[in-house]
Amino acid sequence: MNNSFFNRKFVIQGIFIAIALVIVARLFYLQIIDDRYLLSANNNVMRKVIVYPARGVILDRDGQVLVQNEPVYDIMVTPREVKDIDTLLLCNLLNIDTADFNTRMKKARAHSPYRASQFMKQVSSITFAKFQEHLYKFRGFYYQNRTVRSYPDSIAAQFLGYIQEVNERDIEKSDGFYRPGDYIGASGVERAYEDLLRGKRGVKNQMVDALNRPKGSFMEGKYDTVAVTGDGLVSSLDKDLQVLAEKMMKNKLGSVVAIEPSTGEILTFVSSPSYNPNMMVGRDLGNNYMKLLYDETKPMFIRPIQASYPPGSVFKVVAALTGQQAGVINEQSVFYCPGGYRYGGGRAIMRCTHVDGATGLVKSIKMSCNTYYGYVYAKMIDSRGMSGPKAYDLWREALGKFGLGHRLGIDLPGEKPGLVPTSDFYTKRYGNGSWRSGYNISLSIGQGELGITPLQMANIMAIVANRGFYYRPHLIKGIGEKKIVKEEFTEKIFAGVDAKYYEPVIEGMSQAVNQGGTGAASRIPGIEMCGKTGTVQNPHGENHAVFFAFAPRHNPKIAIAVFVENAGYGGTWAAPIASMLVEKYLKDTITLPKYIQDRVYNANLLPKPKKPKETEVKKDSTKNPKDSTKNKTTAPLKSAARDPKKEQSAVLVHHSQVRRTHE
């Protein structure tokens, strides 16, 4: 009885196993071996097609197009469906060879034999038009509409940025929003405003036959979703002014930043050398990126917000304002300039290029007197009834209110804060906290360890133009159809100096340009421009040329900073560039003599190729005392001693080489 029961049990189990094997075998045959049902299904297949949105366009402040979209096409392939096609014809139509075809198909199969993937991306309209005529001959292939960026005027590359295909990290960070093949802003405004520019994908359910011919929408589009175009942006940039500025900065290293003081809107944003933003579009993006990356002039380096320089003589404007607010000087304060400022018991001198004699506040700005600001800094650090480090902290705090030493918060990624060293930096360097102004006197004229960005320079001018406040500099003034302005760009930020202290400084800046001062060559007929030249010492080569200004004096419309690396004198190079841009913006004309214009347009101030090492060694071995002490003020002071007296002596020797930093 028991044996009979067990026999029946095994028989039933065997039957079920046999049935299961038959079913599995049949399914394997139908799905893998026999393609009759596949062919039948292909005669009435539904294909989900992703509809990619167009990115939002970017306009200049007057509505002129800076960035727009142009159509391209991604060729898609489902490897399992590809049969009996004319491979040679397909290759000819898409301008590829058979080896390339085989590589692309292998990659597609590795992705999935049954799911569609990119065969070729960003095919141009011209190439696609030829391909589309023969598309019905290529089973398993279809296309998706895409758009790529187009830059009609090929300007403002570092400001606008570029887009690129997402990587795995982008996909992970997006919480499922991005998928392989999507594009994302990689730099500039494209990155900063990615969430607004990208739009929203849609899906179209399309019926196609076995020859890939569309047969209409599934269920009349009932289950389709519409792609939503990204928000457009209105930038603060003045396109015509940007074109002019880039033309003048051609073959030069440096920056131009112009700001509308009453709003903080950036009118011009030049980083030179630049590149054609259209290089970063299409299938050559990768190759072009590597070329730019290894270019010695670093065109992808965004100098206005990432380069940090000693400000030089232009820093005297901030020194004059903060000194008045601290009560250590006033408009009537006079110091005698015998050709330099002596410190350290008279054992060292911070030299000037000429004797200014009795110098008041207005004259100190007009003539850019080093001696005057040596006294101002000494009073700020040594004469406030407190230790040097504590007084320095107050001085540093005052600079911070002018936007120095920290990021201003521009709507671009990658902004650098510049550098205003802490008191601890000097206390550590000199071994104790007994140091005074003589230990870092070069800070008084914007040299030494100070570093500020060109954007911060232009913002200082906006503060002076506004008599004491600024709006956070920004590049986008309106978002979407309603032209929404971000709240953080409407906040008025106080710079910590009362309005009454600005007038003597502004008078000095006006005289510097309009009454025979250091910027006289940049004077504009009919416009009272207030400016300041600077020639910033550079320990690595020729000095940097600087000019910053605002205009007109009353009801200012533009504040500007021009920085030209390795160019020499600010009045020779930076000032004419600023003058032409200001006049163009305010009067839509340029009256500067043509020979000066031509000199600026045609000059090539790019660094010369480095000499062979043998030549450099030979030059270095030459005993020349002038060469050995030239431009030492920007180099960090290295000290082996910890005795304050010895440290003081070392500093005196170091700063005895400080030179005047104006024309």
Side-chain angles (χ1 to χ4, degrees):
M1 183 68 178
N2 290 335
N3 291 337
S4 176
F5 172 78
F6 284 112
N7 289 336
R8 285 198 299 272
K9 177 182 176 182
F10 288 125
V11 169
I12 292 171
Q13 288 179 343
I15 291 172
F16 277 111
I17 292 172
I19 292 172
L21 290 173
V22 170
I23 292 173
V24 170
R26 182 60 177 168
L27 289 173
F28 178 80
Y29 176 78
L30 291 175
Q31 295 184 28
I32 306 300
I33 299 175
D34 189 355
D35 61 2
R36 288 179 300 169
Y37 293 95
L38 174 64
L39 295 175
S40 176
N42 281 341
N43 289 327
N44 192 28
V45 69
M46 182 181 73
R47 175 176 291 141
K48 288 185 178 292
V49 178
I50 300 296
V51 182
Y52 290 95
R55 288 179 74 86
V57 298
I58 304 177
L59 309 175
D60 88 330
R61 64 189 299 107
D62 297 319
Q64 299 185 77
V65 174
L66 296 175
V67 185
Q68 61 189 12
N69 300 301
E70 65 178 27
V72 293
Y73 304 86
D74 285 350
I75 306 301
M76 310 297 291
V77 64
T78 306
R80 185 68 175 82
E81 299 177 9
V82 178
K83 289 188 177 181
D84 303 325
I85 67 169
D86 188 340
T87 303
L88 186 59
L89 175 61
L90 185 145
C91 290
N92 288 335
L93 292 171
L94 295 179
N95 300 316
I96 60 176
D97 55 30
T98 53
D100 195 2
F101 172 86
N102 292 331
T103 300
R104 293 172 185 270
M105 287 300 299
K106 183 178 180 181
K107 183 178 179 180
R109 291 190 191 97
H111 174 74
S112 173
Y114 304 99
R115 296 176 59 187
S117 60
Q118 281 183 352
F119 177 80
M120 179 179 288
K121 62 183 180 182
Q122 297 188 13
V123 175
S124 69
S125 298
I126 297 174
T127 300
F128 176 74
K130 296 185 295 182
F131 177 76
Q132 188 179 29
E133 293 180 11
H134 301 273
L135 182 59
Y136 69 94
K137 301 176 182 178
F138 308 122
R139 282 186 52 197
F141 288 86
Y142 68 100
Y143 67 91
Q144 283 187 334
N145 298 70
R146 299 296 293 267
T147 58
V148 293
R149 293 308 229 177
S150 174
Y151 307 88
D153 295 287
S154 303
I155 60 172
Q158 293 91 345
F159 150 60
L160 295 170
Y162 63 94
I163 62 174
Q164 65 182 13
E165 193 169 331
V166 295
N167 54 38
E168 291 183 5
R169 184 180 178 186
D170 295 325
I171 295 172
E172 291 175 3
K173 291 173 62 178
S174 72
D175 294 326
F177 181 88
Y178 294 110
R179 303 173 186 173
D182 285 349
Y183 294 99
I184 188 173
S187 67
V189 169
E190 294 278 14
R191 177 178 171 186
Y193 289 86
E194 168 65 17
D195 292 350
L196 298 171
L197 288 167
R198 68 190 181 187
K200 186 177 180 181
R201 283 189 304 266
V203 177
K204 185 176 182 180
N205 297 288
Q206 188 180 59
M207 303 300 296
V208 297
D209 64 14
L211 297 177
N212 284 334
R213 292 177 297 201
K215 293 298 182 181
S217 299
F218 175 71
M219 294 290 289
E220 297 181 348
K222 181 179 179 180
Y223 299 103
D224 294 352
T225 57
V226 179
V228 179
T229 301
D231 289 326
L233 301 178
V234 178
S235 80
S236 59
L237 223 61
D238 183 303
K239 189 178 82 168
D240 296 336
L241 202 65
Q242 181 76 16
V243 170
L244 177 61
E246 290 194 13
K247 180 181 178 182
M248 287 191 283
M249 289 297 291
K250 185 178 180 181
N251 291 323
K252 303 170 185 68
L253 299 178
S255 306
V256 178
V257 179
I259 300 174
E260 184 178 67
S262 61
T263 62
E265 295 171 5
I266 295 176
L267 304 170
T268 303
F269 187 89
V270 175
S271 180
S272 182
S274 187
Y275 60 92
N276 185 338
N278 289 297
M279 292 176 64
M280 305 301 284
V281 175
R283 296 202 302 273
D284 291 331
L285 185 154
N287 292 333
N288 290 336
Y289 175 83
M290 296 308 294
K291 290 178 183 177
L292 294 172
L293 187 64
Y294 288 103
D295 189 322
E296 290 185 356
T297 61
K298 303 187 187 308
M300 300 192 76
F301 182 55
I302 309 176
R303 284 177 164 82
I305 62 172
Q306 294 180 333
S308 180
Y309 311 93
S313 291
V314 294
F315 180 73
K316 293 168 186 172
V317 170
V318 179
L321 292 167
T322 54
Q324 289 180 88
Q325 184 69 29
V328 301
I329 60 168
N330 57 43
E331 187 175 355
Q332 287 73 42
S333 296
V334 175
F335 300 107
Y336 184 78
C337 173
Y341 171 73
R342 290 192 175 275
Y343 59 99
R347 290 176 294 167
I349 184 170
M350 181 170 66
R351 295 188 179 280
C352 297
T353 55
H354 57 79
V355 177
D356 286 327
T359 302
L361 180 55
V362 173
K363 182 181 177 182
S364 76
I365 295 292
K366 175 183 178 180
M367 302 308 296
S368 193
C369 181
N370 283 358
T371 300
Y372 191 94
Y373 290 96
Y375 281 111
V376 172
Y377 185 69
K379 284 182 171 293
M380 290 286 280
I381 304 302
D382 305 338
S383 304
R384 301 178 75 176
M386 60 186 75
S387 69
K390 188 173 181 180
Y392 179 89
D393 287 338
L394 293 177
W395 177 81
R396 185 175 185 272
E397 181 182 347
L399 300 190
K401 292 179 180 179
F402 274 80
L404 305 184
H406 62 83
R407 297 176 182 86
L408 292 172
I410 187 176
D411 47 349
L412 278 185
E415 182 189 4
K416 301 300 182 184
L419 177 64
V420 181
T422 63
S423 59
D424 289 342
F425 171 83
Y426 293 107
T427 297
K428 183 178 179 180
R429 168 181 283 184
Y430 302 127
N432 57 54
S434 64
W435 53 271
R436 290 290 185 172
S437 63
Y439 284 77
N440 48 24
I441 192 64
S442 58
L443 299 179
S444 67
I445 56 171
Q447 294 286 165
E449 292 77 24
L450 278 180
I452 72 174
T453 66
L455 176 67
Q456 291 170 335
M457 293 182 190
N459 193 58
I460 289 171
M461 276 297 92
I463 292 170
V464 177
N466 289 331
R467 278 68 171 175
F469 66 89
Y470 69 97
Y471 294 96
R472 191 169 282 106
H474 55 284
L475 287 155
I476 299 301
K477 61 178 292 187
I479 300 171
E481 294 181 359
K482 296 182 179 180
K483 307 295 187 291
I484 298 170
V485 180
K486 285 190 173 183
E487 185 176 351
E488 59 261 39
F489 298 139
T490 63
E491 176 189 2
K492 182 185 288 188
I493 303 172
F494 180 54
V497 175
D498 297 337
K500 62 183 179 181
Y501 296 126
Y502 284 83
E503 290 311 315
V505 174
I506 291 172
E507 175 62 25
M509 292 176 64
S510 177
Q511 291 187 18
V513 175
N514 302 292
Q515 296 184 32
T518 59
S522 62
R523 190 175 71 85
I524 304 172
I527 297 176
E528 186 177 0
M529 179 170 69
C530 304
K532 183 75 185 70
T533 60
T535 304
V536 178
Q537 294 179 37
N538 171 26
H540 308 293
E542 293 294 328
N543 292 336
H544 304 313
V546 190
F547 185 79
F548 68 171
F550 70 88
R553 177 171 179 170
H554 302 288
N555 192 23
K557 302 295 183 185
I558 183 172
I560 190 169
V562 178
F563 200 105
V564 187
E565 297 179 22
N566 314 121
Y569 293 111
T572 303
W573 295 106
I577 292 173
S579 176
M580 286 190 275
L581 290 171
V582 168
E583 187 174 18
K584 178 66 177 178
Y585 183 70
L586 296 178
K587 298 175 67 175
D588 195 28
T589 187
I590 298 175
T591 58
L592 208 64
K594 189 174 183 302
Y595 76 91
I596 297 180
Q597 295 186 46
D598 291 340
R599 175 170 57 80
V600 170
Y601 289 135
N602 299 327
N604 186 336
L605 302 177
L606 293 175
K608 296 179 181 179
K610 293 182 179 180
K611 295 180 180 181
K613 290 185 178 180
E614 292 78 10
T615 305
E616 292 178 0
V617 171
K618 184 177 180 180
K619 182 178 179 180
D620 291 340
S621 64
T622 302
K623 302 298 182 180
N624 188 331
K626 291 184 179 180
D627 290 341
S628 66
T629 59
K630 185 179 180 181
N631 292 329
K632 290 288 185 69
T633 60
T634 57
L637 177 63
K638 297 182 180 179
S639 175
R642 288 300 180 188
D643 184 336
K645 292 183 179 180
K646 292 182 179 179
E647 293 285 1
Q648 176 72 29
S649 298
V651 174
L652 298 183
V653 172
H654 172 68
H655 288 300
S656 67
Q657 308 303 330
V658 176
R659 300 185 301 156
R660 191 178 180 91
T661 56
H662 79 284
E663 285 63 52

